[in-house]
Amino acid sequence: MEAKFSSGAISLINDVIEKAVVLEASDIHFEPGVNNLRVRYRIDGLLRSGILIHRSMQAQVISRIKVMSGLDISEQRLPQDGRAFIKIGDREFDLRVSTIPVIHGEKAVLRLLDRGKTALPIEDLGMPAKELDLYKQAISKPQGMIVVCGPTGCGKTTTLYSSLQKINNDDRNILTVEDPVEYQLTGINQIQVNIKTGLTFAMGLRGILRQDPDVIMVGEIRDMETASIAIKAAMTGHLVFSTLHTNDAVGAALRLRDMGVEDYLIKDTLNCIVSQRLVRKFCPNCKGSGCKACNQAGYKGQVGIFEMLDPAARSKSLRSLSDNAEFLIEQGITSREEVLRNISSA
């Protein structure tokens, strides 16, 4: 059935997305309530309130989002995932779209991925000098494994992309398997996981190993099969990057052990483990008091806090997340409240 929309629903969604671009939001949330559809934006890791859309427009707005992202508008009982493309001015964006039924209708979340965005130099991620030096040594080795860990939204993918960009050259065959492919990297072959067709991380990784790779990036290690293949690849002449959802660097090694990876393999194959968080930086214009440039938030942009672990070294780590966070506070880059929001032990 062909869907028809009022110009109001179409222009409303366009306005909301354009506002997200202006605010430099990473995600847009459309949340149905009793009387209205609430819009919120995730900016620098925190949700900020946007407009309220009258309930009479709710069905039109959600259906329009579904159509533009290739979802089934007749299915309202099950979660759906899709994608769309949109151009705002001279900038192009990929949208990752998710819908899910809630008690007052369907909730939709749109993630904005700027096609023009490039990987940050690793020197700009915020790693302290000692940690940066250790990390550069780890990614310059011809084989072994680098694991980046932390909660969702802590910047793990950004760190991996920056790492691949640092070592990317014509002498290396670099392949990735990701879910999703967030940004397209020039000169790097990227594979999108597709559960519906059976293309899992493990299957993609097995396929990559038949493609004469030098460097491999696995978006996330979720199970024993993926962990086993990744470890074997790291032992047989490949440099492997991946992520784990753990709170700290030591926890990443324990998680691999829980998946069945032997201790000696962890020690022999892991070049380093990185634990990280993202905290908001004080706005450079108002230094935290709130101004037009930061939309009265007092903060603008984010910086990483990092902890390194060399499994082969006697010392567990150089400095903890809390130690490195304290340095940022002392330098006037962020506040203690912001650090405590992200690191409970700080």
Side-chain angles (χ1 to χ4, degrees), residues 171-175 189 206-216 237-238:
D171 297 333
R172 284 191 169 112
N173 178 23
I174 303 177
L175 297 102
N189 303 284
R206 284 197 299 268
I208 284 174
L209 289 172
R210 295 191 289 270
Q211 290 284 315
D212 186 31
D214 297 297
V215 179
I216 301 167
H238 306 93

Side-chain angles (χ1 to χ4, degrees), residues 120-127 135 158-159 162-163 303-306:
L120 284 173
I122 60 173
E123 293 81 6
D124 294 344
L125 294 176
M127 290 185 186
Y135 191 67
T158 298
T159 298
S162 297
S163 305
V303 66
I305 303 175
F306 298 88

Side-chain angles (χ1 to χ4, degrees), residues 316-331:
K316 288 187 176 180
S317 62
L318 295 179
R319 286 179 293 190
S320 68
L321 284 169
S322 297
D323 290 339
N324 287 322
E326 193 65 35
F327 174 78
L328 293 180
I329 296 169
E330 293 171 357
Q331 295 296 307

Side-chain angles (χ1 to χ4, degrees), residues 141-208:
K141 294 180 179 180
Q143 69 180 53
M145 191 168 177
I146 292 95
V147 173
V148 182
C149 61
T152 300
C154 73
K156 298 186 295 294
T157 301
T158 298
T159 298
L160 291 182
Y161 280 178
S162 297
S163 305
L164 294 181
Q165 201 63 43
K166 178 71 174 179
I167 63 175
N168 184 22
N169 57 49
D170 291 339
D171 297 333
R172 284 191 169 112
N173 178 23
I174 303 177
L175 297 102
T176 77
V177 54
E178 308 172 55
D179 185 23
V181 174
E182 293 194 16
Y183 298 108
Q184 298 179 23
L185 303 175
T186 303
I188 294 175
N189 303 284
Q190 296 170 271
I191 300 167
Q192 169 70 53
V193 165
N194 189 335
I195 301 300
K196 292 180 181 178
T197 64
L199 180 51
T200 62
F201 279 117
M203 177 177 285
L205 184 51
R206 284 197 299 268
I208 284 174

